[in-house]
Amino acid sequence: MNEEEVIQLLRHYRHDWMNELQLIMGYAQMGNIEKVQEKVNQAVEHAALDRKLQSIPLPKTALWIMQFNWEFANFRMTHDVKVNQTITVDDQTVVDQLKQLMTYLVEHSLKMSLYHVTLVLRETDQHQLEILLRLDGEIENERTLIEKLKTMNPSMQVNSKTNQQENHDLDLTWLVK
């Protein structure tokens, strides 16, 4: 990552934090203390998740996740990290798999839809990395997408279902080797 990319990343972070602060200030000016407390708690939780992400021994993966919401216009990600310092996985392999996955998801997404991605990085007892990803939203040509995903990683577990709100969920789980 060069200096300009670092500055761009910091600009995005500053912009997002300023948006949060403006919301909090707006609720405070309206006297809505419950909303102020709720937004402050959400900001603290977000900062704690970012701290966990930034402390994993996979800096390329952490950076890719941090940039996700700015790179993919119609996808929004939340993440959780359950990884210790003992994980034994190639950082570039993780990023390459996540990039390939997103290439497929973008190809099979509806351009005017907003998708929510939940990503969990979890270390197994054998110090391998297990990735759990849930995509909420309608998929075009789902069968073809699943075939591509299986080609990408034959051990990937794919579960597709429609949830209670009539939204489509695609759950993916795989070990990075």
Side-chain angles (χ1 to χ4, degrees):
M1 179 173 241
N2 66 37
E3 293 87 356
E4 289 179 18
E5 292 170 323
V6 171
I7 295 299
Q8 187 68 16
L9 177 65
L10 292 172
R11 280 186 189 136
H12 283 294
Y13 254 81
R14 184 189 69 235
H15 176 79
D16 287 353
W17 278 112
M18 289 303 297
N19 285 345
E20 289 297 317
L21 288 174
Q22 288 172 348
L23 275 173
I24 292 168
M25 286 174 44
Y27 286 128
Q29 289 171 348
M30 292 187 305
N32 191 340
I33 300 305
E34 286 182 20
K35 276 293 199 182
V36 169
Q37 290 173 331
E38 177 186 327
K39 289 296 179 186
V40 167
N41 288 338
Q42 288 174 355
V44 169
E45 288 174 18
H46 182 82
L49 287 173
D50 277 353
R51 187 190 79 247
K52 281 174 54 178
L53 176 64
Q54 294 163 9
S55 69
I56 65 173
L58 303 167
K60 293 176 184 176
T61 302
L63 184 59
W64 185 87
I65 292 169
M66 290 168 62
Q67 294 174 315
F68 183 92
N69 288 336
W70 306 307
E71 294 290 325
F72 300 100
N74 60 329
F75 290 82
R76 291 293 164 263
M77 178 190 286
T78 56
H79 63 273
D80 192 15
V81 177
K82 299 171 182 176
V83 173
N84 297 316
Q85 298 296 319
T86 56
I87 191 137
T88 55
V89 65
D90 180 61
D91 193 16
Q92 188 61 53
T93 299
V94 177
V95 171
D96 290 344
Q97 287 186 12
L98 290 170
K99 285 181 177 179
Q100 184 63 57
L101 171 70
M102 284 310 300
T103 297
Y104 293 152
L105 292 179
V106 168
E107 286 174 4
H108 291 270
S109 66
L110 302 172
K111 305 310 173 216
M112 299 305 292
S113 293
L114 182 62
Y115 294 85
H116 184 259
V117 175
T118 304
L119 178 70
V120 177
L121 303 179
R122 183 168 60 198
E123 185 174 354
T124 68
D125 292 338
Q126 294 78 32
H127 305 293
Q128 293 179 308
L129 180 67
E130 180 180 47
I131 298 178
L132 300 99
L133 185 138
R134 168 171 278 173
L135 175 73
D136 297 330
E138 188 177 342
I139 300 294
E140 288 186 316
N141 302 316
E142 183 178 316
R143 185 192 241 139
T144 305
L145 171 62
I146 291 171
E147 289 172 9
K148 289 177 182 178
L149 294 172
K150 288 289 192 175
T151 301
M152 180 185 111
N153 187 327
S155 67
M156 183 179 289
Q157 298 174 10
V158 180
N159 185 16
S160 174
K161 63 183 180 218
T162 302
N163 65 29
Q164 294 172 342
Q165 291 80 27
E166 297 300 316
N167 292 328
H168 196 79
D169 290 341
L170 186 66
D171 293 333
L172 310 173
T173 306
W174 73 98
L175 285 175
V176 178
K177 297 180 180 185

